[in-house]
Amino acid sequence: MSYLKTAILLAGLTGLFMGVGYLIGGASGAMIALVIAAATNLFAYWNSDRMVLSMYGAHEVDRNSAPDLVHLVAELAGRAGLPMPRVFVMDEAQPNAFATGRNPENAAVAVTTGLMQQLSREELAGVIAHELAHVKNHDTLLMTITATIAGAISMLAQFGMFFGGNRDNNHGPGIIGSIAMMILAPLGAMLVQMAISRTREYAADDLGARICGQPMWLASALSKIANAAHQVPNMEAERNPATAHMFIINPLSGHGMDNLFTTHPSTENRIAALQQLAAEMGAGGGAPSLDAGRNYPRRGAWGRPASRGPWG
């Protein structure tokens, strides 16, 4: 049902894009819109991961520079049946994380230094498992496509305002229709984009909890990250709000209301779903501990303060 809902929403977003093109230029405008969508999505398919990682100043780490983090990602990727993704660290105080890449073979997981400093190892495992779930579900590509189409709709709507307003009603929307299109089309695209994002977050929570074997690890992490997002601004995300849906918790507003105007479901609802899953799995404990953690403390920033966190 989750995938069906996502497919319907994505089809609606594509239809909206072509509809804006039709209002501007009729049937030929719709075809031009379709070509633009194909071109932008092709570019995003090959370059989206590099673009967003560069945007956030993420630097790649390996087993030499951040052995504990890379070991943890490798173990969880193995549990998920995924190839080992590239691992990146962002020098950002707000605890948060995202995954990107066009497919599991070309995936990357990025975490902030704030995340590594404020979460226990178990909570960090829950977050990474959530991001790996996005990779396994191919959500990273899906969210790139929705963001690209939504951006193109806004571009076309503004194009229609400048070039459609001078046409008569037989060939274009007219000045009133152009103004309405410039306002309503991006709004509609934003709502669909957010609805898709929220649908995929629930699915990633569920699969991520199963990957790490402990739903309450992720639930605890979500609570901490949501609380910190209220207090610690992510200035790069504020400058690039279109990327907010990529993070595990909205880095912009921190609102808890589960409505159409949030990029993520309510944190309380997500935690409740994880609590229910934990009860179903009998996972108050349950799953075996992660091998890499047996020599580390269970809470805190691993007792090793550093300028970029305990991972190097």
Side-chain angles (χ1 to χ4, degrees):
M1 182 59 66
S2 176
Y3 281 103
L4 177 60
K5 181 179 179 181
T6 299
I8 292 173
L9 290 168
L10 185 57
L13 191 62
T14 304
L16 177 60
F17 183 81
M18 295 185 67
V20 173
Y22 181 82
L23 288 174
I24 294 174
S28 59
M31 290 304 300
I32 292 173
L34 185 60
V35 171
I36 293 174
T40 52
N41 282 328
L42 183 61
F43 177 82
Y45 179 86
W46 291 105
N47 298 284
S48 61
D49 54 345
R50 290 192 292 267
M51 290 172 60
V52 71
L53 290 167
S54 175
M55 182 184 302
Y56 283 93
H59 60 277
E60 188 169 6
V61 295
D62 56 25
R63 294 184 184 274
N64 293 320
S65 58
D68 300 330
L69 175 61
V70 174
H71 190 128
L72 180 59
V73 174
E75 183 176 351
L76 290 167
R79 289 189 179 192
L82 290 169
M84 176 64 183
R86 298 168 68 192
V87 183
F88 289 79
V89 172
M90 299 172 281
D91 293 313
E92 168 59 51
Q94 183 190 88
N96 229 316
F98 67 80
T100 186
R102 61 184 179 271
N103 54 39
E105 290 71 32
N106 295 276
V109 173
V111 301
T112 67
T113 53
L115 187 81
M116 297 183 294
Q117 291 167 342
Q118 298 183 40
L119 268 59
S120 70
R121 188 176 188 281
E122 289 83 359
E123 291 164 341
L124 182 59
V127 170
I128 293 174
H130 170 98
E131 298 306 332
L132 291 174
H134 277 307
V135 173
K136 192 173 183 68
N137 289 337
H138 295 267
D139 293 339
T140 51
L141 177 60
L142 173 66
M143 297 315 298
T144 296
I145 291 174
T146 58
T148 303
I149 295 178
I153 288 174
S154 298
M155 178 189 69
L156 272 186
Q158 294 186 26
F159 180 86
M161 176 62 186
F162 287 106
F163 295 94
N166 294 326
R167 299 180 179 180
D168 59 42
N169 291 332
N170 293 326
H171 298 89
I175 185 64
I176 302 299
S178 294
I179 294 174
M181 179 175 61
M182 185 179 68
I183 297 172
L184 296 178
L187 178 61
M190 179 186 68
L191 294 178
V192 174
Q193 181 187 11
M194 290 177 177
I196 292 175
S197 175
R198 292 164 63 231
T199 298
R200 304 315 308 152
E201 288 303 317
Y202 279 123
D205 283 348
D206 184 272
L207 180 56
R210 297 177 188 277
I211 289 172
C212 72
Q214 295 282 1
M216 296 313 297
W217 290 357
L218 177 55
S220 178
L222 291 176
S223 178
K224 285 188 177 181
I225 298 171
N227 288 333
H230 288 205
Q231 306 170 30
V232 183
N234 185 328
M235 299 312 299
E236 196 59 47
E238 295 290 346
R239 287 189 286 268
N240 300 278
T243 62
H245 66 281
M246 298 180 62
F247 288 84
I248 189 170
I249 290 287
N250 187 349
L252 303 176
S253 66
H255 292 310
M257 295 182 62
D258 194 1
N259 57 51
L260 284 175
F261 294 95
T262 59
T263 59
H264 293 65
S266 161
T267 302
E268 291 78 8
N269 287 356
R270 294 171 71 180
I271 291 174
L274 288 166
Q275 290 172 333
Q276 181 178 351
L277 178 61
E280 294 172 358
M281 294 174 62
S289 298
L290 296 170
D291 292 339
R294 56 176 174 260
N295 296 322
Y296 297 100
R298 292 182 59 81
R299 304 198 64 79
W302 297 40
R304 296 181 303 176
S307 60
R308 291 205 300 223
W311 307 93

